[in-house]
Amino acid sequence: MGQNVFAPWTDPAAEPLIRFQNVTKRFGSFVAIDDLTLDIYEQEFFALLGPSGCGKTTLMRMLAGFENASEGRIELAGQDIDGIPPNKRAVNMMFQSYALFPHLSVWDNIAFGLRRDRMAKAEIDARVDEMLKLTRLESFARRKPHQISGGQRQRVALARSLAKAPKLLLLDEPLGALDKKLRQETQFELMDIQEKTGTTFVIVTHDQEEAMTVASRVAVMDHGRIIQVATPEEIYEGPNSVYVADFIGDVNLIEGRATASGEDGYSIEWAAGQPPLSAQSKRPFTDAQRCHLAVRPEKVAISHDRPEADNAVEGRVLDIAYLGNISTYHVELPSGLVIKAQAANTRRIARRDITWEDTVWLSWSASAAVMLAD
Amino acid sequence: MRRWVLIAVPYLWLLALFLVPFVIVFKISLSDVALARPPYIPQFSWDDGIWAFLRELDFENYIFLTTDSLYWKAYLSSLKIAVFSTFLTLLVGYPIAYGMARAPEEWRPTLMMLVILPFWTSFLIRVYSWMGILSQEGYLNQILMWTGIISTPLTILNTNTAVYVGIVYTYLPFMILPIYAALDRLDGSLIEAAEDLGCSRFQAFWLVTFPLSRNGVIAGSFLVFIPALGEFVIPSILGGSKTLMIGKVLWEEFFSNRDWPVASAVAVVLLLILVVPIVLFQRNQQRQAEAEQ
Ligand SMILES: Nc1ncnc2c1ncn2[C@@H]1O[C@H](COP(=O)(O)OP(=O)(O)OP(=O)(O)O)[C@@H](O)[C@H]1O
Ligand SMILES: [Mg+2]
């Protein structure tokens, strides 16, 4: 590609905008954030993914200034932010609950932060109108929050947090209540804003597709810890653990024991009486080490005849899920394991030749699978 | 039929407990004082018929109220005392309600109990006990002299100050409870959002917390203002001879002067004065109910 790729995290000289150093947050004896270390760089679009209750909101609230770390240090632009009140931070947050002021109109909600900055009235008017246009709320400006729909409220919350053009914007599930089309449009809008303003975004989302679309990097969290931080491609193609592989997207997991065979190559004993599977891994595995092989369904080919491939297994079609553009085949192997394979429906009718109860071959290349230690 | 009964019950209630007494009082206010039993004429008798009776009624007493400056001075003074003591109650009550709403969840029932607890004893006894606190040799003066803040006892009892103390003390729960209810419902993340958008704690209070508790403040203020305006016990017990309140005037007309017609006229005018705030109060309640839907 030749052009300058945006990847400050690969540059050891780059100064992060946000730096979490061994941060722990306890609520009583409950550990919500557990010894977390993380750098986020300026102009990043950083996505936090993880199951409910894993500490995403807590992490955001520490950045916004509503919670103090129990241990460790949080830096914003090189400055320790411990004890700095929320109104003194160049950070704005969009709340998961929106937190719109019920006694103020949509217009006044958006203008609220600008007024605190003692901006000139004409400037405020212009800025609010700009935000209304961006979020397509022009016709609702005079309404109170209880007079608009859930999705519209979410857009008001978004507009209000964007209005001040903060250095760091925290978005806690900003697009959850929007329909798919509006969500996609808003995602691109956000990316556009981010490119234009250079604002750093940290976004919490339950929607992996969203994280993949908008984020420069994704962090997968679990129980207050960060399991993996990487670009969307890396995290999808090269998850570092079974947890991440399983959490991001659909995946087939095959358990087995690894034996080295050639450079970076391993053969994996996975079922009695079956030929071993071959896979590659940059991470070293000792002989007979237990491992999981993670293969994405779209990397598994399905056919009637045995193909020429690094790995091929035979099974019986259990179920076919037709998803429009693709179909997912659930194939049961003799060992009882069910493997999913995806095929694009390029012809109008899904691959008619493969149907329920058929005996089929599944195949994938050695480089398609990722080897993961337990 | 059942529906009709359901609708009729509250109206019958109103009729029996409000409208009938009001009509009786209004009728007396149109009569003339007399040395009789009851002490006014005319008395309705079946022999003379209704017209003869009605012809005797007139608005003389109301005209009399406008001629003697005592009455309108008493009304004005009552209004002043009621407005000022409502304001004082708000000043004292708001921080208490705010503190209650901010207190840890497990304390709140106890705090609520403490606010309601005074109602468990007689109102009269509680007002009397303030005499023991506020009098020349009362507890307050004893403490102030003992700590050396003052050297001669303050005269508080039998002044308007004592009346204010009494009203604020008596009606404080009526102010606290509606404000607490409003503050308790307030979503804490709104304050956080305000701070996030650049408000100091203080600004967040004035721009978010206070406006959102406005309905509670209005409800509490009316609940204090309305009974305070016609208050009779507190000014009689704690107030002095100079404390002029319409409730006291009313009592004196009835029981000292035995002038029932004038006393009734005073009562009817007081009611008319109260109708305005009561209607405003109802409207506020209604609007609040609508906003919550
Ligand atoms: N004030 C608090 N007191 C006690 N526990 C808390 C508090 N705030 C959060 N927690 C706990 O900390 C954990 C993390 O909460 P957090 O709100 O960060 O989750 P989350 O990842 O944002 O979840 P979700 O996706 O459901 O929003 C949860 O188990 C929660 O119960
Ligand atoms: Mg959350």
Side-chain angles (χ1 to χ4, degrees):
Chain A
M1 279 212 289
Q3 65 203 110
N4 236 345
V5 183
F6 175 74
W9 50 89
T10 55
D11 176 6
E15 274 292 318
L17 177 68
I18 304 164
R19 169 161 264 176
F20 284 90
Q21 283 173 324
N22 305 96
V23 173
T24 296
K25 174 69 194 176
R26 287 190 206 89
F27 294 109
S29 62
F30 178 79
V31 181
I33 298 291
D34 190 2
D35 192 26
L36 180 139
T37 298
L38 174 67
D39 287 345
I40 299 173
Y41 294 84
E42 206 159 330
Q43 306 202 4
E44 264 206 83
F45 208 125
F46 195 90
L48 288 171
L49 273 177
S52 188
C54 70
K56 305 180 294 291
T57 299
T58 306
L59 202 65
M60 292 251 190
R61 289 174 59 80
M62 289 199 286
L63 283 173
F66 302 126
E67 310 277 3
N68 283 321
S70 312
E71 272 167 39
R73 183 182 159 90
I74 306 172
E75 281 176 20
L76 183 66
Q79 193 192 4
D80 187 346
I81 55 173
D82 185 55
I84 298 179
N87 55 329
K88 297 280 190 302
R89 299 185 182 193
V91 176
N92 281 141
M93 176 156 169
M94 178 186 158
F95 288 72
Q96 198 168 3
S97 62
Y98 314 152
L100 299 179
F101 304 121
H103 58 303
L104 299 180
S105 67
V106 167
W107 204 96
D108 288 325
N109 261 284
I110 298 173
F112 192 90
L114 302 173
R115 292 213 170 109
R116 304 287 84 74
D117 286 351
R118 306 191 177 282
M119 229 189 226
K121 183 155 185 336
E123 245 177 291
I124 294 179
D125 288 354
R127 183 76 183 150
V128 173
D129 288 343
E130 192 186 333
M131 288 299 120
L132 286 170
K133 205 159 137 213
L134 183 71
T135 47
R136 286 177 221 176
L137 288 164
E138 294 106 322
S139 46
F140 305 104
R142 294 283 145 221
R143 297 220 199 150
K144 293 277 176 68
H146 67 95
Q147 294 165 325
I148 56 178
S149 78
Q152 288 162 350
R153 255 174 250 163
Q154 195 166 40
R155 282 184 277 155
V156 177
L158 184 62
R160 189 178 68 177
S161 61
L162 282 170
K164 288 187 84 169
K167 195 149 75 167
L168 173 61
L169 191 56
L170 307 170
L171 305 172
D172 201 346
E173 300 201 28
L175 312 176
L178 306 186
D179 62 71
K180 193 170 167 138
K181 195 155 174 295
L182 190 56
R183 186 159 69 222
Q184 282 176 348
E185 282 171 10
T186 317
Q187 282 167 9
F188 286 113
E189 210 69 76
L190 282 178
M191 287 156 75
D192 211 38
I193 292 166
Q194 201 257 357
E195 245 158 59
K196 271 195 220 133
T197 60
T199 304
T200 308
F201 281 62
V202 178
I203 180 171
V204 167
T205 172
H206 274 290
D207 181 354
Q208 296 166 24
E209 225 176 283
E210 182 169 297
M212 295 293 181
T213 314
V214 299
S216 61
R217 281 193 302 161
V218 176
V220 179
M221 292 182 66
D222 187 32
H223 290 297
R225 290 168 174 275
I226 288 200
I227 310 296
Q228 186 173 15
V229 187
T231 62
E233 298 90 300
E234 279 168 10
I235 223 157
Y236 189 78
E237 301 292 346
N240 69 356
S241 59
V242 173
Y243 179 80
V244 173
D246 202 21
F247 192 80
I248 303 282
D250 221 353
V251 75
N252 295 302
L253 290 167
I254 305 169
E255 201 182 331
R257 282 182 193 282
T259 318
S261 67
E263 197 187 338
D264 289 346
Y266 293 89
S267 67
I268 293 140
E269 289 293 341
W270 63 286
Q274 294 276 346
L277 300 171
S278 58
Q280 290 168 356
S281 176
K282 292 258 185 278
R283 276 182 292 250
F285 284 80
T286 55
D287 275 350
Q289 185 181 345
R290 253 166 54 90
C291 72
H292 280 91
L293 207 56
V295 199
R296 300 282 178 200
E298 72 273 14
K299 300 219 163 78
V300 180
I302 185 164
S303 58
H304 271 302
D305 309 314
R306 184 180 178 139
E308 279 303 315
D310 300 334
N311 300 295
V313 292
E314 197 177 18
R316 190 173 55 88
V317 176
L318 211 61
D319 203 0
I320 304 173
Y322 176 71
L323 302 170
N325 52 346
I326 51 168
S327 287
T328 304
Y329 299 85
H330 296 245
V331 177
E332 189 180 23
L333 304 188
S335 63
L337 190 68
V338 175
I339 300 279
K340 282 174 271 184
Q342 255 169 19
N345 296 323
T346 43
R347 275 171 287 174
R348 208 179 82 76
I349 304 297
R351 301 181 177 234
R352 262 281 161 77
D353 49 333
I354 297 175
T355 180
W356 284 268
E357 300 297 331
D358 276 4
T359 303
V360 292
W361 284 88
L362 300 176
S363 60
W364 62 92
S365 69
S367 59
V370 181
M371 281 175 71
L372 300 166
D374 272 318
Chain B
M1 180 64 197
R2 238 184 83 197
R3 241 186 78 158
W4 192 86
V5 171
L6 278 179
I7 295 170
V9 166
Y11 281 100
L12 283 174
W13 180 271
L14 257 179
L15 195 73
L17 292 176
F18 179 78
L19 215 53
V20 170
F22 176 77
V23 168
I24 293 172
V25 169
F26 186 62
K27 193 211 82 183
I28 298 175
S29 76
L30 301 178
S31 313
D32 293 316
V33 68
L35 278 173
R37 187 180 283 258
Y40 54 87
I41 48 169
Q43 297 292 331
F44 177 72
S45 78
W46 290 107
D47 304 337
D48 302 338
I50 188 96
W51 282 112
F53 170 73
L54 285 180
R55 228 175 296 123
E56 295 282 320
L57 300 175
D58 54 46
F59 284 91
E60 230 172 40
N61 297 315
Y62 291 92
I63 293 162
F64 173 67
L65 289 190
T66 60
T67 55
D68 192 334
S69 68
L70 167 78
Y71 298 104
W72 64 262
K73 275 185 183 153
Y75 282 120
L76 266 185
S77 161
S78 295
L79 268 175
K80 204 188 76 190
I81 290 176
V83 166
F84 192 57
S85 49
T86 302
F87 182 68
L88 286 177
T89 316
L90 179 62
L91 282 188
V92 178
Y94 200 99
I96 297 177
Y98 188 79
M100 280 170 68
R102 280 293 176 104
E105 199 85 48
E106 63 270 24
W107 290 16
R108 290 188 201 170
T110 316
L111 293 172
M112 180 77 94
M113 197 67 201
L114 288 175
V115 170
I116 301 172
L117 203 63
F119 286 122
W120 289 14
T121 53
S122 154
F123 162 63
L124 219 51
I125 291 173
R126 283 182 287 132
V127 176
Y128 268 114
S129 60
W130 273 102
M131 291 176 77
I133 298 172
L134 298 177
S135 68
Q136 290 262 314
E137 51 288 335
Y139 298 121
L140 181 65
N141 274 320
Q142 281 180 22
I143 291 171
L144 289 178
M145 304 236 294
W146 178 70
T147 52
I149 294 169
I150 52 167
S151 49
T152 48
L154 297 172
T155 311
I156 303 171
L157 192 64
N158 302 330
T159 65
N160 279 1
T161 311
V163 175
Y164 289 131
V165 170
I167 293 178
V168 170
Y169 164 77
T170 306
Y171 295 111
L172 194 58
F174 294 115
M175 185 63 89
I176 292 176
L177 295 179
I179 297 177
Y180 169 74
L183 287 173
D184 191 41
R185 272 201 302 267
L186 196 93
D187 178 3
S189 66
L190 294 179
I191 312 299
E192 289 185 343
E195 286 181 33
D196 188 64
L197 293 166
C199 283
S200 62
R201 283 269 159 91
F202 186 71
Q203 280 178 314
F205 174 82
W206 279 112
L207 293 170
V208 178
T209 311
F210 193 73
L212 288 175
S213 58
R214 208 196 63 192
N215 282 328
V217 169
I218 293 174
S221 297
F222 279 123
L223 287 177
V224 174
F225 176 80
I226 292 168
L229 188 61
E231 185 53 58
F232 148 71
V233 175
I234 296 170
S236 324
I237 296 177
L238 298 178
S241 51
K242 284 211 217 87
T243 305
L244 196 54
M245 283 195 82
I246 200 68
K248 233 172 78 175
V249 171
L250 189 74
W251 195 87
E252 275 158 16
E253 289 295 350
F254 252 109
F255 297 101
S256 308
N257 299 350
R258 280 185 68 77
D259 190 342
W260 288 25
V262 166
S264 301
V266 169
V268 169
V269 172
L270 179 63
L271 189 79
L272 292 179
I273 294 175
L274 281 175
V275 160
V276 178
I278 287 173
V279 167
L280 285 177
F281 174 66
Q282 288 295 352
R283 218 177 291 142
N284 175 59
Q285 294 291 94
Q286 211 170 339
R287 221 173 335 145
Q288 192 177 340
E290 274 163 20
E292 266 160 31
Q293 273 165 12

